[in-house]
Amino acid sequence: MSIVVSEPVPRPGILDIAAYVPGKEHAPGVARVFKLSSNETPLGASPKALEAFRQSAGHLELYPDGQAMALREAIASVHGLNVANIMCGNGSDELLGLLCHVYLGAGDEAIITQHGFLVYKIQIMGAGATAIEVPEKDYTVDVDAILAAVTDKTKLVFIANPGNPTGTYVPVADIRRLHAGLPKNVILVLDAAYAEYVRKNDYEAGVELVSQNRNVVMCRTFSKVYGLAALRIGWMYGPAGILDALNRVRGPFNMNAPAIAAGAAAIRDQNFVGEAVEHNLLWKDKLTHAFETIGLTVTPSVTNFVLIHFPDVDGKRAPDADEFLTSRGYILRMVKGYGLPNALRMTVGSEEANRGVIEALGEFMGRK
């Protein structure tokens, strides 16, 4: 007896995936809105990147370079890397997805952490594998918890370092200890999207670990400090064997030409990057101090955002604060989906936006 199906059906597990929900952008009824929910830089993109974009836009009839060589060479030059070990993608999200597509299947497991980037779980489940979530300690990745979760089924371990939405980081000594405890066939994925903002002597994005091993990759992005989020540019530094496997299924023209040109110009303009980092360091500390002064708790951050925890008191919880701020045009990020229902994540914005949030939250906390 045949079974009649009335419509196409996704393979098992796909409809169990919770779709990624970006930070909100709008505040209905508010004339001016400050969007501080997506960790976008308030300084925008380098003028050199904008000019490169404009020049490239004059030749949209041409296919882009399928190897993104100009961008890879710029990355290699700035970071002192071998260009052959660099792959570029349509945002780091594409590269994370390729890793799961190539190395995971039904019956496999990949380890993520309690407050890790939601895209990891989406891509793992999309590949038909199982995401194993391990607890964090004080909003920080717990190396011992990860090692305890490794089984014969483990194929990938995802670490956001620094973490999003926590803003915390794992010192390089602990990252090395984690790698040393993993089987040689398990890939350690170091997602260093916010590495440019970190100013800690015991932090490394992952370059040395990748260079010394065949089972570590490092992912980076142009969406944060470089201000090119609209162009979706990500890159990976990895061993030849892993990149060879990924390139076999990567789309032949996965990067568009204006993105390649703008990215190459942006990464070479390190003076502009320095200005963005300095602005961030100044205001991250000011925001933290101001919020703590009015009675809020802030998780220490090394990134371009702060995680603000609210009192467990009627009228003072994170959803109440979110509603209050939105009504005044300040959009922060609710992080309930990350297991943090009573916290908001705030991107370091312009001076005007930062002062406005400080004033608004002071008013919110002082209300009867």
Side-chain angles (χ1 to χ4, degrees):
M1 179 179 176
S2 62
I3 300 176
V4 178
V5 180
S6 61
E7 61 183 18
V9 178
R11 60 178 171 77
I14 294 298
L15 297 183
D16 295 328
I17 298 173
Y20 183 83
V21 179
K24 65 183 180 181
E25 300 183 29
H26 306 290
V30 179
R32 189 177 183 195
V33 174
F34 294 92
K35 183 189 172 197
L36 305 169
S37 59
S38 297
N39 298 339
E40 299 153 335
T41 171
L43 272 64
S46 158
K48 295 179 180 179
L50 295 175
E51 178 57 28
F53 178 89
R54 282 190 287 265
Q55 291 186 15
S56 179
H59 301 280
L60 298 184
E61 75 281 6
L62 303 177
Y63 278 100
D65 171 15
Q67 301 301 315
M69 188 56 70
L71 178 56
R72 290 167 59 210
E73 288 177 343
I75 294 169
S77 175
V78 170
H79 289 282
L81 306 176
N82 183 349
V83 70
N85 293 101
I86 297 171
M87 173 187 286
C88 295
N90 186 34
S92 56
D93 290 351
E94 181 193 15
L95 302 173
L96 297 169
L98 283 173
L99 284 166
C100 292
H101 180 57
V102 171
Y103 287 97
L104 295 177
D108 293 331
E109 295 177 350
I111 295 175
I112 60 176
T113 64
Q114 182 180 6
H115 305 300
F117 188 34
L118 294 176
V119 167
Y120 307 151
K121 185 174 183 179
I122 291 172
Q123 296 291 0
I124 292 165
M125 295 179 67
T130 301
I132 304 299
E133 182 180 300
V134 301
E136 296 187 5
K137 184 182 296 183
D138 297 326
Y139 306 110
T140 305
V141 168
D142 186 339
V143 167
D144 294 312
I146 293 173
L147 292 174
V150 174
T151 71
D152 292 341
K153 297 180 180 180
T154 306
K155 296 297 186 297
L156 295 170
V157 174
F158 288 93
I159 300 293
N161 194 29
N164 172 28
T166 60
T168 60
Y169 78 102
V170 183
V172 63
D174 288 331
I175 293 293
R176 290 186 175 276
R177 182 167 66 85
L178 168 60
H179 175 258
L182 294 176
K184 298 297 183 183
N185 67 310
V186 175
I187 300 175
L188 176 60
V189 183
L190 300 174
D191 183 357
Y194 298 91
E196 289 84 358
Y197 290 108
V198 185
R199 292 297 181 268
K200 296 289 185 179
N201 292 334
D202 59 349
Y203 172 81
E204 284 184 13
V207 169
E208 289 190 13
L209 205 58
V210 172
S211 299
Q212 297 165 356
N213 298 280
R214 293 199 280 181
N215 66 331
V216 186
V217 299
M218 175 191 70
C219 291
R220 304 283 282 270
T221 183
F222 280 75
S223 296
K224 306 307 177 187
V225 76
Y226 292 106
L228 297 176
L231 296 183
R232 312 308 304 127
I233 308 172
W235 63 280
M236 176 189 294
Y237 179 55
I242 292 178
L243 265 59
D244 174 61
L246 300 186
N247 270 316
R248 292 169 186 265
V249 298
R250 176 181 62 85
F253 301 106
N254 64 325
M255 298 281 304
N256 67 72
I260 293 171
I267 198 167
R268 292 186 188 278
D269 191 358
Q270 288 296 307
N271 287 333
F272 185 84
V273 173
E275 294 174 10
V277 171
E278 288 304 314
H279 172 88
N280 183 73
L281 288 172
L282 172 67
W283 279 101
K284 176 169 60 68
D285 290 344
K286 285 187 175 183
L287 288 168
T288 299
H289 176 73
F291 295 151
E292 290 177 341
T293 298
I294 61 176
L296 298 169
T297 301
V298 179
T299 298
S301 172
V302 297
T303 62
N304 69 330
F305 58 84
V306 291
L307 184 66
I308 312 165
H309 304 268
F310 290 81
D312 188 15
V313 176
D314 288 347
K316 300 294 184 183
R317 297 184 179 91
D320 305 308
D322 180 59
E323 181 179 355
F324 183 86
L325 289 168
T326 300
S327 71
R328 283 155 177 75
Y330 301 105
I331 300 179
L332 276 60
R333 179 68 185 266
M334 287 288 297
V335 284
K336 181 179 180 180
Y338 287 93
L340 298 162
N342 201 25
L344 295 177
R345 189 192 69 190
M346 176 187 171
T347 305
V348 175
S350 65
E351 178 175 354
E352 182 182 5
N354 297 334
R355 291 191 185 280
V357 174
I358 290 172
E359 182 178 351
L361 279 180
E363 181 183 349
F364 171 78
M365 290 298 293
R367 291 189 307 168
K368 298 296 184 182

